[in-house]
Amino acid sequence: MGMTRRPFVGGNWKMNTDLASAVELADDVVAACGCFADRCDIALYPPFPYLQVVGRTLGHHGLLLGAQDVYHQPNGAYTGEISTDMLLDLNVKVVLIGHSERRHVIGENDELVNAKLLAALEAGLGVVLCIGETLEQREAGDTNRVNVSQLMAGLREVAPEQMEQVTIAYEPVWAIGTGQVASPQDAAAVHRIIRRSVADLYDQDTAGGLRIQYGGSVNAANARDLFGEPQIDGGLVGGASLDSPQFKAIVEAAVQATEKKREAPTA
Ligand code: PEP
């Protein structure tokens, strides 16, 4: 597993911005981060109604348009839901699956998460499968069990060749939107378990090529230390992605950390 993976930073805007501020933020992010797009995958996940305008702004700047969710059925009587074809129509390249707010606020279970993931892969979209333990589960010593279980359930029936489309985001629920970031060592320990599980489920090459993002209160001040960990291949960023200078600093930290890893490969 001595390879250096291309870093991947996502900005999850959640249910924030309005039409005007979404366009403005996308413009600012393009201006700030466009120069890093050759060295880092950078995705923006605006709310559904703004996908089209944000997509226009991202245009030819090499940033990826992302969606925060998708439904697994192709069409029909599913009021309020969005299909993979609709996302493809808008030039969406990557979709979040099983974000902790969808699991814990909206109530999605592992079966629905897996169905959505399979549908998105089938459609040719990149997917970011989000997993993570709650504080209660961590305190009960269940961190590894919960993450491996969500990982296995999410990847059920995913073919080895489809793993190229998959990124994992390890997002401890207690760290999301709380300002309470996991230590780089604690995050890296879970990333190691995730990678080992993928090696067991598929093979070493698949695990070695898999990008695992950390998410949970990543900001300009802590990104460098997190991304310095050989196991951490970038971040999924909520709050700090609404501030373009801060998002830029996070992307820059990912690029610089990857350059260092390339000079001194360890894991
Ligand atoms: C997220 O939305 O996935 C997230 C990690 O949010 P925040 O960075 O605000 O904790």
Side-chain angles (χ1 to χ4, degrees):
M1 292 189 209
M3 69 196 305
T4 307
R5 295 168 288 269
R6 181 175 161 87
F8 183 7
V9 175
N12 175 16
W13 294 1
K14 313 193 189 201
M15 199 172 73
N16 293 301
T17 69
D18 56 20
L19 181 57
S21 62
V23 171
E24 195 182 338
L25 180 57
D27 276 339
D28 290 349
V29 171
V30 164
C33 299
C35 61
F36 298 112
D38 58 338
R39 285 163 288 166
C40 182
D41 282 350
I42 305 164
L44 297 184
Y45 305 88
F48 283 128
Y50 311 138
L51 276 171
Q52 191 169 15
V53 281
V54 168
R56 269 190 217 130
T57 300
L58 300 189
H60 303 289
H61 293 93
L63 277 72
L64 304 169
L65 184 63
Q68 298 175 17
D69 186 29
V70 70
Y71 201 56
H72 57 288
Q73 296 290 353
N75 52 51
Y78 304 103
T79 302
E81 296 299 332
I82 305 285
S83 72
T84 54
D85 277 354
M86 294 172 187
L87 297 185
L88 291 171
D89 255 353
L90 298 180
N91 216 16
V92 167
K93 302 292 185 203
V94 56
V95 57
L96 301 181
I97 303 285
H99 188 276
S100 95
E101 286 143 23
R102 299 226 46 98
R103 292 178 189 264
H104 297 289
V105 182
I106 316 290
E108 289 190 12
N109 62 21
D110 277 331
E111 288 68 37
L112 183 57
V113 167
N114 177 243
K116 290 181 171 194
L117 184 121
L118 292 173
L121 290 177
E122 192 61 35
L125 289 158
V127 303
V128 177
L129 172 63
C130 307
I131 62 175
E133 80 287 354
T134 63
L135 185 58
E136 203 179 21
Q137 290 165 332
R138 173 163 283 261
E139 285 175 345
D142 270 348
T143 296
N144 291 348
R145 189 192 58 75
V146 169
N147 282 291
V148 170
S149 147
Q150 288 182 0
L151 179 73
M152 295 297 152
L155 293 179
R156 211 173 137 256
E157 290 182 22
V158 174
E161 62 274 14
Q162 291 180 308
M163 284 302 288
E164 280 184 14
Q165 289 165 254
V166 176
T167 296
I168 305 295
Y170 166 55
E171 300 203 295
V173 179
W174 48 271
I176 299 178
T178 59
Q180 209 191 328
V181 65
S183 73
Q185 296 72 26
D186 283 351
V190 178
H191 283 221
R192 210 168 289 117
I193 299 284
I194 293 169
R195 206 177 296 286
R196 197 187 303 150
S197 303
V198 169
D200 290 344
L201 194 59
Y202 295 93
D203 54 50
Q204 291 290 343
D205 276 359
T206 304
L210 176 74
R211 290 181 301 179
I212 308 177
Q213 298 176 313
Y214 167 78
S217 298
V218 175
N219 60 32
N222 59 33
R224 188 175 305 270
D225 283 348
L226 286 162
F227 301 159
E229 288 290 332
Q231 285 289 335
I232 302 181
D233 307 311
L236 181 53
V237 185
S241 74
L242 297 170
D243 178 71
S244 60
Q246 209 169 157
F247 191 65
K248 177 196 175 179
I250 294 167
V251 170
E252 199 167 11
V255 167
Q256 286 172 354
T258 307
E259 273 160 17
K260 275 205 188 131
K261 290 175 198 175
R262 213 160 261 139
E263 285 159 19
T266 47

